Amino acid sequence: MLPTVTKTRSSPSTSRPNSMFPQYLRRIVKWQQMDIEYTFWQMLHLCTAPKVVYQHTKYHKQTKNQWARDDPAFLVICILLLAVATLAYCAAYDHSAAHAVLVVISVFLFHFLLTGVILATCCCSPKRFLTNAYLREEAPNSHVVEQWVEWLYAFDVHCNSFFPMFVMLYVIHYFLSPLLVANGFIPELLSNLLFMVAASYYHYLNFLGYDVLPFLERTTFFLYPIGVIIVLSPILILSGFNPSRYFMNMHFSQRV
């Protein structure tokens, strides 16, 4: 969703996002209005062919005149899958039902929701933060309509990027966890590689999400964190740091 304003106005129009967001929230509890099949199609292709998903985002803009999803199915299914995966970890590595509930809530809030809210806010707050302040292409004259990255689309990009990382760090990691949390160099190497690939893919999908917007430039900025991850990973491996053991011991009562 990309509200537009003319060059002479000081801030983007907020009437459309303000009317869109309550409708989006109301549809969260209405399963009959959600396109579940298309949502799973998106999730599959985000893991295998993410450019196809953002090609469909262009079609969505052409047909509905907005970039952001108007269907909250992707968000709802992400939350449900995250809760199921976290409960599976709790069943295997925790002994307290009350603590398991706290773990599920903390993972949902800090791993997914608050992270997405903060990143979306930092990326798109009008004229103050990253995309709208530094990456947006200025309109060449006063007769050209300016476009802005809207908050809901930035949160969509986070959700898209989060799902493949969820598959790697919550699903695949769960089945490999007996190996990854073991002592020794090989578990440390494999754990760091898994986290490196997951984090790098997250940032790559962030890049694709903003690169599809025709009014942004220098979107390769979103690929820079991948370089930092690649540099840090050998350092962490040589220092003996095991991210799997670290996060498992941080969340669960049963030490690994």
Side-chain angles (χ1 to χ4, degrees):
M1 177 172 55
L2 294 168
T4 57
V5 295
T6 62
K7 185 75 172 180
T8 57
R9 294 180 64 175
S10 60
S11 62
S13 172
T14 59
S15 60
R16 183 167 183 180
N18 286 341
S19 61
M20 175 65 189
F21 198 69
Q23 179 184 359
Y24 183 88
L25 293 178
R26 285 194 297 268
R27 292 186 64 182
I28 287 180
V29 296
K30 297 180 179 179
W31 279 94
Q32 66 274 17
Q33 296 184 11
M34 297 183 189
D35 192 342
I36 305 300
E37 182 179 353
Y38 179 63
T39 298
F40 281 117
W41 179 91
Q42 286 184 307
M43 289 178 167
L44 173 63
H45 283 79
L46 283 169
C47 298
T48 58
K51 290 184 179 180
V52 174
V53 176
Y54 283 111
Q55 188 63 43
H56 278 254
T57 300
K58 290 183 179 180
Y59 300 151
H60 183 78
K61 167 63 176 175
Q62 293 169 1
T63 57
K64 297 194 176 182
N65 196 31
Q66 63 186 49
W67 292 94
R69 295 185 181 97
D70 55 357
D71 183 357
F74 196 100
L75 173 63
V76 172
I77 292 175
C78 269
I79 293 172
L80 293 177
L81 292 176
L82 186 61
V84 171
T86 307
L87 287 173
Y89 276 96
C90 292
Y93 295 101
D94 216 331
H95 301 300
S96 168
H99 185 259
V101 173
L102 291 177
V103 171
V104 172
I105 295 174
S106 66
V107 166
F108 163 67
L109 287 178
F110 296 105
H111 290 203
F112 178 66
L113 184 61
L114 291 181
T115 302
V117 168
I118 292 171
L119 290 176
T121 302
C122 290
C123 282
C124 74
S125 288
K127 291 193 174 182
R128 290 191 294 275
F129 291 121
L130 186 60
T131 55
N132 285 331
Y134 302 108
L135 304 182
R136 189 173 57 85
E137 184 177 0
E138 292 291 339
N141 55 68
S142 59
H143 301 289
V144 177
V145 175
E146 289 186 329
Q147 298 186 83
W148 308 81
V149 180
E150 189 48 60
W151 188 93
L152 193 55
Y153 178 77
F155 187 74
D156 274 349
V157 171
H158 162 72
C159 293
N160 290 346
S161 303
F162 179 86
F163 180 74
M165 186 170 66
F166 160 80
V167 172
M168 286 184 269
L169 296 186
Y170 289 83
V171 180
I172 296 175
H173 184 279
Y174 176 80
F175 293 104
L176 296 179
S177 58
L179 170 63
L180 297 177
V181 300
N183 294 315
F185 176 76
I186 298 300
E188 293 171 1
L189 175 64
L190 295 177
S191 179
N192 277 281
L193 287 176
L194 181 62
F195 275 77
M196 180 188 72
V197 171
S200 297
Y201 198 68
Y202 175 89
H203 289 289
Y204 172 66
L205 291 188
N206 272 348
F207 160 73
L208 291 182
Y210 292 105
D211 189 58
V212 76
L213 302 179
F215 54 87
L216 293 185
E217 55 186 6
R218 301 185 301 275
T219 52
T220 51
F221 172 85
F222 292 99
L223 296 175
Y224 293 168
I226 298 178
V228 177
I229 293 168
I230 293 174
V231 170
L232 287 179
S233 293
I235 299 174
L236 295 175
I237 293 171
L238 293 176
S239 67
F241 176 73
N242 187 324
S244 296
R245 292 177 63 88
Y246 174 80
F247 286 108
M248 298 281 279
N249 288 331
M250 181 174 66
H251 285 297
F252 304 112
S253 58
Q254 180 177 330
R255 309 293 290 184
V256 296

